[in-house]
Amino acid sequence: MVNQAEKLTAFKKNAHSKNLAQKVRVITITSGKGGVGKSNITVNLALALAKMGNSVCIFDADFGLANVDILMGLVPKYNMHHVISGDKKLADILVEGPLGIHIVPGSSGLLDMANLNGPQRQQLLKQLLELERTTDIILIDTGAGISKLLLGLISAAHDVILITNPEPTAMTDAYGVAKIIGKYKLHNQVKLIVNQVKNMQEGEAVAERFSQVADNYLSLSVDYLGYISNDSLVARSVRDQQPFLIGYPKSKASVCVERIASQLVEPYGLEVHRDSGMSNFFSKIAKIFS
């Protein structure tokens, strides 16, 4: 097993080999409603992106029901709270998952950022920059519902992925999140994934209804990334604590997620704005709670 010192050394080595002008893309994934498969999609999407050659990190910001580690059978010893308190370095809390993806266990760490003084915040941002230099894409797995933290995570991210399914309650809650994004102009576009559908036609129908409402009433563009089919192997993979992309790579759900990943990764060839990057992302979050 690789110890923390070796892990940090590896990260620093990777940092020097990566183009320092390149910035990490931060993508916030949300749903508005629990039970639509958001965390499971986040984990398997991260794996699909990693299979395509990207260095991927998941930041678990679902403080109430953090499921990312459970879905992969991992047991983190530390989380962001230990970093904020100064007990651990960021490299100490990183957990490695399948295909080399990394997980940052969140706990209440983001909320604690409001209590940092100037030097402490600079030290944290320095560590975040180290992570930024070794990572291509960071996926933020948020909690269900609407909160000040969620709005901050949405506002500070480069992209927002909204997860829903065909159920009216899920659609209504997803629309509620989209309404707030549009009202406060947090983004001018959201990306949509429709989970647990019977077939491609059902996914497209849900996306079309959602897009029409968003366009007519919210002045918000919806980029439909795709659907994920109902698949009994998804539930089995949860029980096995093994992502379905690993345990059942030929399953219907795996094929759908890999298709979505290919749709998602194409924009990253574009130039990234000067204010992008992980350190800037957390600077924005810190201001929200200061």
Side-chain angles (χ1 to χ4, degrees), residues 1-10 94 96:
M1 181 178 293
V2 178
N3 61 35
Q4 298 298 342
E6 291 172 329
K7 185 189 298 184
L8 180 58
T9 300
L94 285 173
E96 186 167 348

Side-chain angles (χ1 to χ4, degrees), residues 17-266:
S17 64
K18 183 177 179 181
N19 179 2
L20 296 185
Q22 183 178 348
K23 295 290 188 178
V24 67
R25 296 293 296 192
V26 182
I27 304 172
T28 292
I29 303 178
T30 188
S31 61
K33 180 183 184 296
V36 299
K38 173 182 53 59
S39 295
N40 209 354
I41 290 173
T42 301
V43 167
N44 285 279
L45 182 59
L47 293 169
L49 291 167
K51 284 180 66 176
M52 298 171 67
N54 296 286
S55 175
V56 185
C57 180
I58 301 174
F59 192 101
D60 192 350
D62 188 347
F63 302 146
L65 297 169
N67 291 323
V68 167
D69 52 340
I70 297 173
L71 290 167
M72 289 181 279
L74 303 173
V75 184
K77 292 180 62 177
Y78 309 107
N79 53 53
M80 273 297 290
H81 174 76
H82 297 94
V83 176
I84 301 298
S85 65
D87 294 333
K88 296 292 177 182
K89 300 293 185 183
L90 185 61
D92 297 331
I93 73 166
L94 285 173
V95 179
E96 186 167 348
L99 302 184
I101 69 170
H102 288 88
I103 299 93
V104 178
S107 182
S108 60
L110 285 180
L111 302 177
D112 296 334
M113 287 190 72
N115 299 320
L116 294 180
N117 58 35
Q120 289 173 322
R121 187 170 297 176
Q122 288 301 314
Q123 181 60 33
L124 174 61
L125 294 181
K126 182 179 178 181
Q127 295 181 61
L128 290 169
L129 183 60
E130 203 68 57
L131 176 63
E132 176 181 322
R133 288 174 173 171
T134 60
T135 308
D136 299 311
I137 302 171
I138 294 182
L139 304 180
I140 310 289
D141 182 40
T142 67
I146 298 173
S147 65
K148 186 177 182 181
L149 174 60
L150 173 62
L151 299 183
L153 292 170
I154 289 173
S155 177
H158 302 106
D159 299 293
V160 179
I161 297 178
L162 197 54
I163 310 292
T164 191
N165 64 31
E167 295 179 5
T169 51
M171 290 279 289
T172 300
D173 287 349
Y175 175 75
V177 174
K179 184 177 180 180
I180 290 177
I181 293 173
K183 179 179 179 180
Y184 293 104
K185 302 186 186 305
L186 304 180
H187 281 269
N188 56 19
Q189 182 192 78
V190 295
K191 300 181 184 299
L192 181 69
I193 296 174
V194 184
N195 193 24
Q196 301 164 331
V197 303
K198 293 181 293 186
N199 49 45
M200 178 180 68
Q201 290 76 16
E202 183 177 41
E204 290 178 345
V206 170
E208 180 64 23
R209 291 200 303 271
F210 195 92
S211 298
Q212 287 181 353
V213 172
D215 186 55
N216 292 337
Y217 298 102
L218 306 179
S219 298
L220 187 67
S221 170
V222 176
D223 178 17
Y224 177 47
L225 290 177
Y227 66 94
I228 300 175
S229 300
N230 263 326
D231 190 338
S232 61
L233 293 177
V234 172
R236 185 182 298 180
S237 72
V238 173
R239 290 193 297 270
D240 295 341
Q241 291 187 284
Q242 182 181 49
F244 56 79
L245 204 75
I246 299 296
Y248 308 100
K250 302 297 185 182
S251 66
K252 292 186 294 184
S254 292
V255 172
C256 290
V257 168
E258 289 188 327
R259 187 182 300 122
I260 289 170
S262 66
Q263 287 278 98
L264 186 62
V265 85
E266 186 173 340

